[in-house]
Each structure stands twice: as structure tokens, then as C-alpha cells.
Amino acid sequence: MKVAIIGIGYVGAVSAACLARDGHEVIAVDVNPTKVKAILSGQAPIIEPNLPEVTAEAVAAGRLRATEDVATAVAETDMCLICVGTPSTQAGSLELNYVLRVAEQIGAALKKRKGHYSVVVRSTILPGTMDGMVIPALEAASGMKAGKGFGIGYYPEFLREGSAIKDYDDPGLIVFGARDDATFERLSSLQESTSDRVQRVEMRTAEGIKYFCNAWHALKISFANEVGNICKAHGVNGVEVMEALVSDTRLNVSKAYMRPGFAYGGSCLPKDLRALRYAARQLNVPTPVLDGTGLANDVQIDQAFQLVTRVKNVNRRVSFLGVSFKPDTDDLRESPHVVLAERLLGKGYDIAIYDANVRMSRLTGANLAYILDLLPHISRMLREDLDQVLAFSDTIIVGHSKLLKGVDPAKLEGKTIIDLAGLPLEWRERKDYYGICW
Ligand SMILES: NC(=O)c1ccc[n+]([C@@H]2O[C@H](COP(=O)([O-])OP(=O)(O)OC[C@H]3O[C@@H](n4cnc5c(N)ncnc54)[C@H](O)[C@@H]3O)[C@@H](O)[C@H]2O)c1
């Protein structure tokens, strides 16, 4: 493949050298003449382990060249990867000027070029930037339509400085947001050895994946640091704690709990987080991550409340399916579903509840005490018959999706569904369906 790499910083310099090493013909482009000269003389334009050797070999083999001119690079290649910087502005927003400037230059170069060309962005940009800004800039400058006149894609980069070549060769994640098949095929042929691991998604999904990977990494670091701080104050070895924590790949470092949905609850998480935060306060240890976690959970309950109260509901009646803190238990303690029901009750809603596992006559101990304290009228709201609860109102709040298993969506035609649980597609496609965070 003949590929142009536009912007030869940490991402561009590594991609250019590795692609050339793998046999592709690469032209690297940068506005900085020092970087262009460095490549032309076979030197790496940035500090990165093994990059000097890979760059020198690629240049010596004649597969890696450099120029300051975008038009030349576009004229001589089949695809370009935009790797220019997207730094923060002073206000914290994303500086897109470099990307847009390059898009205009590529667009202008496409006018003079014959044959299909693929424009792919690798710079980190927020969801919707390709559709809202990059594509319009390319279309305006080229006079062509993206997806027809030229191919378009977003291919986020996940490499880490310091191990960039290793990460390039064995990436943890490969995501192609390619709209047209020709661009998808071109991207796939760039890294044939890992093409079986490619996940093809919508462009704006690819844009989002990059951001949330970085947010997740940042959250992991801050969580581990906070664990260290709290442990130190308690005289506990935080490193040992975290080593044990990550050794559990079933619940701790795994897919578990990593699905958008409703708030957490139950007899452990809220109570234990509160106790940790309280004890840390006594020891003068700040706990912003744990504080934020509790806050985020309250916000999620509020999201559900807003969802229910915003839909048209003339007689203020709701049917609530599943109120225990998770399916397959009758535990109502600190259930966010119960908190939501209580808030709706306070707003004057009339509620009918169905939960296959919750029977007032069977509740005992702390569970019973909790429900009598927070929702004393629950026994009046609880019904034992699902059909009766479904018929009670035109707004169905789904707390546990399995309670609707076997119910024909057509049977609930005309009713509003508020989904806190993640119902299957057949429910999501209907009118008057609202998901908590999807
Ligand atoms: N550095 C990383 O570890 C890393 C990892 C993944 C993703 N990213 C993302 O990749 C993008 C690039 O990051 P970076 O660290 O390589 O940036 P960088 O600042 O090191 O390099 C950007 C390069 O783009 C060049 N450039 C700017 N405008 C140009 C133009 N009009 N024409 C040609 N070249 C131009 C600059 O001169 C510079 O050499 C950013 O969006 C960043 O968020 C970075």
C-alpha cells in the first residue's frame, strides 16, 4: 500500500516507520521542517525505543520518505492517516484547527487526483467530530461526497509512549470506524497479522471508544492511588492489597459490572463505600474517587427519575417490574429501584410493583425492617400477578429484564417502556421505548 502519514509526532512517526518496515510505501508529512529533515536523513523525529533503528532501515530501503507538502503526499498515495495533534485549549476544549487545516489541504489535493482515495483520521477527536467537522471540511474543499468521491474512516490509536513499537505490533484493541468497504479493506491490509482482531464499528463509536479507554485508564490510576492513600493511613500495604485485587479476574479485572445500566445497591456496596469514606475522613485522607462513585450512583437514580417524570403520563400511574437490587434475590436493602419507587411515590405517582422474588409474607429480618422503614406502603403496591401489574398503567418501568421474558411486545402496544435493565432488541425498536443510558 502507498500511505501518507500526516503529522509525524509520537503517533505519526511510529506508524510511518512501522508501516514502512512492514513493506508499505510511506510518505510522512509535517509542517515542522526539522522533523521532515530528520526522516529524510534516516533519523527518528521523536525519542522512542527502537524507533531510530526502524526509521533508519525503512529510509535506507527507500520505503519511507518525508515532505512538508500534503498535496504531493496525497497525489502519490492511496490512503492517508491524519495523525496531527489535538491538544487542549486553555478552556479545556479540543483544539481541532490542525485536523481541520489538514482536512482542507487533503480536500484540495483530492480535486486534482484521479482514482479512489481513503482519508482516515487517527488523531483523538470527540464523538461526532468526523461527521460534524472533518467530513464537511473535506467535502467543501474537494467538491466531492464522503463515501462516494473518496473513502472515509476513523482509526483510533492506542499506543503508549515508551512502548509504542511493541504496542503497534501487538495492540490491545484495534477499532476501525470505516464507512465504506474500500477504506475498511485498505485499513485491514495495513496490519495483516492482526486483522482478525479488528472490530468494525460506526465512526462516532470509534471516536468514543478512544476517549473512554483513556478515561478508564485515568480512573484506574486514580483508584489505585486512592487505595494506596487510604491503606497507608490504616497501616495497610496498599500495593499488596491491589496485587490481590487484580488477581481476581472474575469480578475485579474483567467484564463484570462493565455494562452501562442502572445504579448499584444492595446490602454491601453502598454501606461499605460509606464506611470506607467515613473512616478515611477520620484519618484526614481525601477520597475523591470514592466520593465521586457515590455521587455518580445518586445521579443515575436521578436519571431514571427524570426519565419517568418526563414522559407523558396523565394519570400518574406506573407499573414497576423488579425492585430487588438485582435479579434473582429478594434483597431490597438499598435497592436503587426502591429508592426510585419512593421518589415517584413522593411525586404523587400511583405504583403497582411486580417482582417474582419479593413477597411481603416471605420478607424477614433486616430486609423487612428496611422496606417497612423506607417504603411502608410497599405491601399495598406489591402484586403477585404480572398481567395485573402490566394492565395497571401505560408506563412500565423495567427493573429486571427477565420479568418480561415470554411477554409478547405486541401485547404492550401503546404503552411506554422505561428500560433500566437492558431489554433485548425486539423491545428497543418499538415506539415509546426509553433506555436509561442508551
Ligand atoms: N502521544 C500518544 O501517546 C498518543 C497515543 C494515542 C493517540 N494520540 C493522539 O494522536 C494525535 C497525535 O498525537 P501526538 O502525540 O503524535 O502529537 P504530536 O504533537 O507529537 O505531533 C503532532 C504533529 O502534527 C504536526 N502538524 C500539526 N499541524 C500540521 C499540519 N497542518 N500538517 C502537517 N503536520 C502538522 C506537528 O508539527 C507535530 O509534529 C493526538 O490527537 C493525540 O491525542 C496520542
Side-chain angles (χ1 to χ4, degrees), residues 160-171:
R160 296 162 298 170
E161 289 173 23
S163 56
I165 294 186
K166 262 198 205 150
D167 289 345
Y168 179 91
D169 290 335
D170 185 17

PDB file of all heavy atoms in Angstrom, residues 160-171:
ATOM      1  N   ARG A 160       1.180   3.472  23.598  1.00  0.00           N
ATOM      2  CA  ARG A 160       1.712   4.238  24.735  1.00  0.00           C
ATOM      3  C   ARG A 160       3.134   4.644  24.425  1.00  0.00           C
ATOM      4  O   ARG A 160       3.910   3.840  23.899  1.00  0.00           O
ATOM      5  CB  ARG A 160       1.717   3.372  26.015  1.00  0.00           C
ATOM      6  CG  ARG A 160       0.344   2.957  26.474  1.00  0.00           C
ATOM      7  CD  ARG A 160       0.425   1.793  27.432  1.00  0.00           C
ATOM      8  NE  ARG A 160       1.013   0.607  26.796  1.00  0.00           N
ATOM      9  CZ  ARG A 160       1.382  -0.491  27.439  1.00  0.00           C
ATOM     10  NH1 ARG A 160       1.240  -0.564  28.749  1.00  0.00           N
ATOM     11  NH2 ARG A 160       1.899  -1.519  26.789  1.00  0.00           N
ATOM     12  N   GLU A 161       3.448   5.886  24.749  1.00  0.00           N
ATOM     13  CA  GLU A 161       4.827   6.332  24.556  1.00  0.00           C
ATOM     14  C   GLU A 161       5.741   5.472  25.437  1.00  0.00           C
ATOM     15  O   GLU A 161       5.374   5.115  26.554  1.00  0.00           O
ATOM     16  CB  GLU A 161       4.957   7.811  24.931  1.00  0.00           C
ATOM     17  CG  GLU A 161       4.267   8.700  23.905  1.00  0.00           C
ATOM     18  CD  GLU A 161       4.210  10.170  24.309  1.00  0.00           C
ATOM     19  OE1 GLU A 161       5.039  10.598  25.133  1.00  0.00           O
ATOM     20  OE2 GLU A 161       3.325  10.875  23.797  1.00  0.00           O
ATOM     21  N   GLY A 162       6.912   5.142  24.937  1.00  0.00           N
ATOM     22  CA  GLY A 162       7.855   4.323  25.712  1.00  0.00           C
ATOM     23  C   GLY A 162       7.770   2.858  25.310  1.00  0.00           C
ATOM     24  O   GLY A 162       8.736   2.116  25.427  1.00  0.00           O
ATOM     25  N   SER A 163       6.559   2.429  24.847  1.00  0.00           N
ATOM     26  CA  SER A 163       6.439   1.047  24.344  1.00  0.00           C
ATOM     27  C   SER A 163       5.638   1.076  23.045  1.00  0.00           C
ATOM     28  O   SER A 163       4.885   0.155  22.732  1.00  0.00           O
ATOM     29  CB  SER A 163       5.746   0.145  25.380  1.00  0.00           C
ATOM     30  OG  SER A 163       4.488   0.694  25.733  1.00  0.00           O
ATOM     31  N   ALA A 164       5.816   2.178  22.295  1.00  0.00           N
ATOM     32  CA  ALA A 164       4.966   2.435  21.130  1.00  0.00           C
ATOM     33  C   ALA A 164       5.103   1.368  20.039  1.00  0.00           C
ATOM     34  O   ALA A 164       4.107   0.941  19.466  1.00  0.00           O
ATOM     35  CB  ALA A 164       5.284   3.818  20.570  1.00  0.00           C
ATOM     36  N   ILE A 165       6.337   0.910  19.777  1.00  0.00           N
ATOM     37  CA  ILE A 165       6.504  -0.076  18.687  1.00  0.00           C
ATOM     38  C   ILE A 165       5.933  -1.428  19.108  1.00  0.00           C
ATOM     39  O   ILE A 165       5.231  -2.092  18.336  1.00  0.00           O
ATOM     40  CB  ILE A 165       7.983  -0.167  18.249  1.00  0.00           C
ATOM     41  CG1 ILE A 165       8.371   1.172  17.611  1.00  0.00           C
ATOM     42  CG2 ILE A 165       8.213  -1.330  17.285  1.00  0.00           C
ATOM     43  CD1 ILE A 165       9.737   1.233  16.982  1.00  0.00           C
ATOM     44  N   LYS A 166       6.162  -1.770  20.374  1.00  0.00           N
ATOM     45  CA  LYS A 166       5.578  -3.022  20.898  1.00  0.00           C
ATOM     46  C   LYS A 166       4.058  -2.959  20.807  1.00  0.00           C
ATOM     47  O   LYS A 166       3.394  -3.914  20.409  1.00  0.00           O
ATOM     48  CB  LYS A 166       5.963  -3.181  22.379  1.00  0.00           C
ATOM     49  CG  LYS A 166       7.129  -4.080  22.621  1.00  0.00           C
ATOM     50  CD  LYS A 166       7.107  -4.478  24.088  1.00  0.00           C
ATOM     51  CE  LYS A 166       8.499  -4.847  24.518  1.00  0.00           C
ATOM     52  NZ  LYS A 166       8.738  -4.579  25.912  1.00  0.00           N
ATOM     53  N   ASP A 167       3.490  -1.821  21.209  1.00  0.00           N
ATOM     54  CA  ASP A 167       2.031  -1.657  21.164  1.00  0.00           C
ATOM     55  C   ASP A 167       1.519  -1.661  19.731  1.00  0.00           C
ATOM     56  O   ASP A 167       0.429  -2.165  19.452  1.00  0.00           O
ATOM     57  CB  ASP A 167       1.604  -0.348  21.851  1.00  0.00           C
ATOM     58  CG  ASP A 167       1.786  -0.416  23.359  1.00  0.00           C
ATOM     59  OD1 ASP A 167       1.958  -1.537  23.893  1.00  0.00           O
ATOM     60  OD2 ASP A 167       1.758   0.650  24.012  1.00  0.00           O
ATOM     61  N   TYR A 168       2.302  -1.092  18.819  1.00  0.00           N
ATOM     62  CA  TYR A 168       1.908  -1.077  17.411  1.00  0.00           C
ATOM     63  C   TYR A 168       1.814  -2.519  16.893  1.00  0.00           C
ATOM     64  O   TYR A 168       0.867  -2.892  16.203  1.00  0.00           O
ATOM     65  CB  TYR A 168       2.919  -0.288  16.563  1.00  0.00           C
ATOM     66  CG  TYR A 168       2.566  -0.261  15.101  1.00  0.00           C
ATOM     67  CD1 TYR A 168       1.784   0.761  14.579  1.00  0.00           C
ATOM     68  CD2 TYR A 168       2.991  -1.284  14.250  1.00  0.00           C
ATOM     69  CE1 TYR A 168       1.426   0.764  13.238  1.00  0.00           C
ATOM     70  CE2 TYR A 168       2.644  -1.291  12.916  1.00  0.00           C
ATOM     71  CZ  TYR A 168       1.863  -0.263  12.415  1.00  0.00           C
ATOM     72  OH  TYR A 168       1.507  -0.271  11.094  1.00  0.00           O
ATOM     73  N   ASP A 169       2.805  -3.340  17.268  1.00  0.00           N
ATOM     74  CA  ASP A 169       2.854  -4.713  16.762  1.00  0.00           C
ATOM     75  C   ASP A 169       1.830  -5.624  17.442  1.00  0.00           C
ATOM     76  O   ASP A 169       1.386  -6.600  16.870  1.00  0.00           O
ATOM     77  CB  ASP A 169       4.265  -5.286  16.952  1.00  0.00           C
ATOM     78  CG  ASP A 169       5.248  -4.607  16.004  1.00  0.00           C
ATOM     79  OD1 ASP A 169       4.797  -4.100  14.961  1.00  0.00           O
ATOM     80  OD2 ASP A 169       6.458  -4.562  16.323  1.00  0.00           O
ATOM     81  N   ASP A 170       1.491  -5.311  18.682  1.00  0.00           N
ATOM     82  CA  ASP A 170       0.547  -6.161  19.409  1.00  0.00           C
ATOM     83  C   ASP A 170      -0.427  -5.265  20.195  1.00  0.00           C
ATOM     84  O   ASP A 170      -0.368  -5.181  21.412  1.00  0.00           O
ATOM     85  CB  ASP A 170       1.331  -7.074  20.377  1.00  0.00           C
ATOM     86  CG  ASP A 170       0.409  -8.068  21.063  1.00  0.00           C
ATOM     87  OD1 ASP A 170      -0.722  -8.270  20.584  1.00  0.00           O
ATOM     88  OD2 ASP A 170       0.822  -8.623  22.108  1.00  0.00           O
ATOM     89  N   PRO A 171      -1.326  -4.617  19.463  1.00  0.00           N
ATOM     90  CA  PRO A 171      -2.218  -3.669  20.141  1.00  0.00           C
ATOM     91  C   PRO A 171      -3.260  -4.388  21.001  1.00  0.00           C
ATOM     92  O   PRO A 171      -3.668  -5.511  20.686  1.00  0.00           O
ATOM     93  CB  PRO A 171      -2.900  -2.927  18.982  1.00  0.00           C
ATOM     94  CG  PRO A 171      -2.654  -3.734  17.763  1.00  0.00           C
ATOM     95  CD  PRO A 171      -1.582  -4.728  18.028  1.00  0.00           C
TER      96      PRO A 171
END
